[in-house]
Amino acid sequence: MSQCCRKIKDTVQKLASDHKDIHSSVSRVGKAIDRNFDSEICGVVSDAVWDSREKQQQTLQMAILEHLYQQGMLSVAEELCQESTLNVDLDFKQPFLELNRILEALHEQDLGPALEWAVSHRQRLLELNSSLEFKLHRLQFIRLLAGGPEKQLEALSYARHFQPFAHVHQREIQVMMGSLVYLQLGLEKSPYCHLLDNSHWAEICETFTRDACSLLGLSVESPLSVSFASGCVALPVLMNIKAVMEQRQCSGVWSHKDELPIEIELGMKCWYHSVFACPILRQQTSDSNPPIKLICGHVISRDALNKLINGGKLKCPYCPMEQNPADGKRIIF
């Protein structure tokens, strides 16, 4: 009994010692989290800047729903629709359903659905200067080449599909025709072995996603993922600005939801449209204060135009031309 008691006591002491080490490590993690993460992130922006809470919730739910559809998580998106009581019509879902159906086929190296879609949208793709249809036909031709000499006649017959693209993709077509010379010896050991590279499948998926989204009026990346990435970049800067505004007691500086109190560089990938800063007021134009083109060709903001009106006439601040303010035209970049 005394030996058992001794063993139990030693075991308990060992467990207590181990627990002390673990507890020390866990407590340091908690302190590190408290030191590096701000628990009051929601307080960075005043609630008065945004819409009502119900409007915010609905906007967020729609952004999550669109992200799920765009990522192909159709069952999860349908479950969210049911639980959140969102009313989403079929016209909203259809582009995503079609996009994911074709992408799934491409991942399985089935070019049929993508080729059918590209042919049916040929004219609109040409207006976008898209080479999607040619790349799909090229990949189908390469698949026939990979079949060896037995597929040579079929490949030659399929090459007729390149005829409409000959004036734009002549060099690439010549390369594919030249590869036929090495078909008997084996394409993988020829100077044309790069045609069999699997990277072509990843490239065609990216090309289809980009061109299909442009055609369907969708963004390549979901608004939710773009907003999240942009928020991660902007949040530290906004937290610093908030601290400075509180210190200097100028919280009223940021009161508009369509602009930030300071410019934040998000990188070229987040440039979706041009911006124009009024050369008179040094302010970026917006929907409520759009850029106006004067008769002389100079462009200023509407607020600047209203301030420059004198006696019903407007004199351009850059040239001596006098004109009627009503002759100014709003421009969209």
Side-chain angles (χ1 to χ4, degrees), residues 76-97:
V76 182
E78 291 297 330
E79 189 68 29
L80 176 62
C81 283
Q82 294 176 7
E83 293 189 9
S84 61
T85 64
L86 284 173
N87 294 321
V88 181
D89 57 25
L90 189 59
D91 292 338
F92 176 82
K93 301 178 187 179
Q94 191 58 40
F96 297 106
L97 296 175

Side-chain angles (χ1 to χ4, degrees), residues 59-70 77 80 224:
T59 303
L60 179 60
Q61 287 174 349
M62 286 300 296
I64 295 172
L65 189 67
E66 183 174 341
H67 178 79
L68 293 173
Y69 275 123
Q70 194 154 349
L80 176 62
L224 182 65

Side-chain angles (χ1 to χ4, degrees), residues 123-228:
Q123 189 57 41
R124 294 181 65 191
L125 287 170
L126 289 174
E127 291 172 1
L128 293 173
N129 293 322
S130 169
S131 58
L132 174 63
E133 187 180 352
F134 169 75
K135 289 182 177 180
L136 288 168
H137 284 305
R138 183 185 65 178
L139 200 53
Q140 180 63 24
F141 182 82
I142 292 171
R143 289 191 70 185
L144 293 173
L145 291 179
E150 296 81 7
K151 295 285 185 177
Q152 184 172 0
L153 291 176
E154 190 177 347
L156 281 169
S157 177
Y158 192 84
R160 296 172 184 171
H161 289 90
F162 296 138
Q163 192 273 332
F165 312 101
H167 63 291
V168 179
H169 301 281
Q170 181 180 355
R171 177 59 184 162
E172 293 163 278
I173 295 171
Q174 287 174 344
V175 169
M176 286 185 287
M177 293 298 102
S179 67
L180 291 169
V181 177
Y182 292 88
L183 206 57
Q184 296 289 340
L185 300 174
L187 206 60
E188 62 278 356
K189 298 178 182 178
S190 72
Y192 299 94
C193 59
H194 63 277
L195 294 176
L196 302 177
D197 196 335
N198 282 328
S199 62
H200 293 303
W201 288 100
E203 180 190 348
I204 200 65
C205 287
E206 291 177 6
T207 304
F208 172 77
T209 302
R210 183 184 65 249
D211 292 351
C213 286
S214 297
L215 211 62
L216 298 171
L218 303 173
S219 58
V220 178
E221 293 186 63
S222 72
L224 182 65
S225 60
V226 173
S227 300
F228 181 80

Side-chain angles (χ1 to χ4, degrees), residues 221 225-226 229-230 233 265-272:
E221 293 186 63
S225 60
V226 173
S230 302
V233 175
E265 181 60 51
L266 297 177
M268 287 290 293
K269 67 178 184 179
C270 290
W271 286 19
Y272 293 100

Side-chain angles (χ1 to χ4, degrees), residues 1-13:
M1 286 292 292
S2 61
Q3 287 179 355
C4 288
C5 289
R6 233 183 345 264
K7 285 181 180 180
I8 292 171
K9 187 176 181 180
D10 293 343
T11 303
V12 170
Q13 287 178 349

Side-chain angles (χ1 to χ4, degrees), residues 38-86:
D38 195 323
S39 59
E40 295 298 328
I41 290 177
C42 295
V44 172
V45 185
S46 171
D47 289 339
V49 173
W50 308 111
D51 297 320
S52 64
R53 191 170 185 83
E54 294 76 15
K55 181 72 173 177
Q56 289 183 49
Q57 187 174 9
Q58 185 179 4
T59 303
L60 179 60
Q61 287 174 349
M62 286 300 296
I64 295 172
L65 189 67
E66 183 174 341
H67 178 79
L68 293 173
Y69 275 123
Q70 194 154 349
Q71 295 299 314
M73 303 178 185
L74 306 180
S75 59
V76 182
E78 291 297 330
E79 189 68 29
L80 176 62
C81 283
Q82 294 176 7
E83 293 189 9
S84 61
T85 64
L86 284 173

